[in-house]
């Protein structure tokens, strides 16, 4: 992650969900090193405190803080958004990294949705919608790094063609890795198994 080129982000606010470990923590450290103020919405306060300590160990002068968030609860999402809107700080970068992967048994969110779908998809959609006023202030970048199991080196099933595009079987799982440009704005890309990439969404700034 340190080898990735990131422009100066001094004065920018970056919100990273799932930033207590793994890829999310690595992103948080890299953003902090580039000068961004990092906000970590987390479900587990103890893991949040440990993440802040790790970030400060890597970047002693990092501006980093945590907020409470359970993406499996629309009420919790609304509460976080209300807190951030009260703080009235424009959000420049939102990385939707948190998620769950293939629970062993069927579980549901606080709102009765299947846990993985409700957390990884509905939760982040609701978060972006609630934060739109802050995202629009300076034309934020929004990207998604969904959780995934390690992919096998080759496809374990046939490919199929749908809507004009080739897709590998559901058993071929890809991991998304963010990339950064060396220009004035950072960009992220989710890279599926086929090698194609999709840039993060840019929220238009409010005129």
């Amino acid at each position: 992650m340190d080898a990735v080129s990131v422009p100066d982000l001094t004065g920018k606010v970056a919100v990273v969900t799932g930033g207590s470990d793994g890829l999310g923590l690595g992103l948080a450290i890299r953003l902090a090193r580039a000068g961004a103020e990092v906000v970590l919405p987390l479900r587990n306060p103890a893991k949040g405190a440990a993440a802040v300590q790790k970030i400060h160990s890597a970047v002693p002068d990092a501006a980093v803080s945590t907020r409470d968030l359970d993406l499996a609860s629309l009420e919790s999402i609304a509460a976080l958004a209300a807190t951030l809107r009260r703080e009235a700080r424009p959000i420049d970068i939102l990385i939707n990294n948190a998620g769950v992967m293939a629970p062993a048994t069927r579980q549901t969110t606080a709102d009765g949705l299947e846990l993985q779908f409700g957390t990884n998809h509905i939760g982040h959609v609701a978060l972006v919608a609630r934060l739109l006023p802050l995202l629009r202030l300076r034309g934020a970048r929004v990207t998604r790094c969904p959780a995934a199991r390690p992919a096998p080196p080759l496809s374990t099933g046939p490919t199929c063609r749908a809507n004009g595009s080739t897709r590998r079987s559901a058993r071929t799982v890809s991991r998304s890795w963010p990339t950064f440009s060396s220009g004035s704005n950072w960009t992220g890309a989710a890279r599926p198994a086929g090698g194609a990439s999709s840039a993060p969404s840019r929220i238009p700034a409010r005129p």
Side-chain angles (χ1 to χ4, degrees), residues 80-179:
L80 169 68
T83 297
L84 294 177
R85 289 199 304 269
R86 282 195 300 271
E87 295 173 5
R89 298 285 309 282
I91 296 173
D92 300 284
I93 300 168
L94 172 59
I95 300 179
N96 294 321
N97 171 73
V100 297
M101 175 54 66
T105 60
R106 176 177 171 79
Q107 301 176 50
T108 58
T109 68
D111 306 284
L113 301 170
E114 188 277 323
L115 182 63
Q116 183 170 325
F117 174 71
T119 301
N120 298 11
H121 301 286
I122 300 302
H124 278 131
V125 168
L127 180 62
V128 171
R130 294 276 187 177
L131 293 179
L132 272 178
L134 301 179
L135 297 170
R136 285 174 169 161
L137 288 175
R138 291 200 294 227
R141 297 274 185 170
V142 177
T143 192
R144 178 171 174 267
C145 306
R149 288 176 173 173
L154 297 173
S155 173
T156 56
T159 60
C160 60
R161 186 169 294 276
N163 298 324
S165 63
T166 300
R167 300 182 303 172
R168 294 199 180 277
S169 69
R171 294 179 63 192
T172 300
V173 184
S174 65
R175 183 179 293 275
S176 299
W177 297 101
T179 60

Side-chain angles (χ1 to χ4, degrees), residues 34-112:
E37 176 185 342
V38 179
V39 178
L40 303 178
L42 297 158
R43 186 173 51 129
N44 187 318
K47 292 182 69 174
V52 170
Q53 185 175 14
K54 290 176 183 177
I55 294 171
H56 279 146
S57 294
V59 188
D61 59 347
V64 57
S65 59
T66 63
R67 302 290 189 280
D68 293 330
L69 173 65
D70 181 358
L71 281 166
S73 166
L74 294 177
E75 182 179 1
S76 176
I77 293 167
L80 169 68
T83 297
L84 294 177
R85 289 199 304 269
R86 282 195 300 271
E87 295 173 5
R89 298 285 309 282
I91 296 173
D92 300 284
I93 300 168
L94 172 59
I95 300 179
N96 294 321
N97 171 73
V100 297
M101 175 54 66
T105 60
R106 176 177 171 79
Q107 301 176 50
T108 58
T109 68
D111 306 284

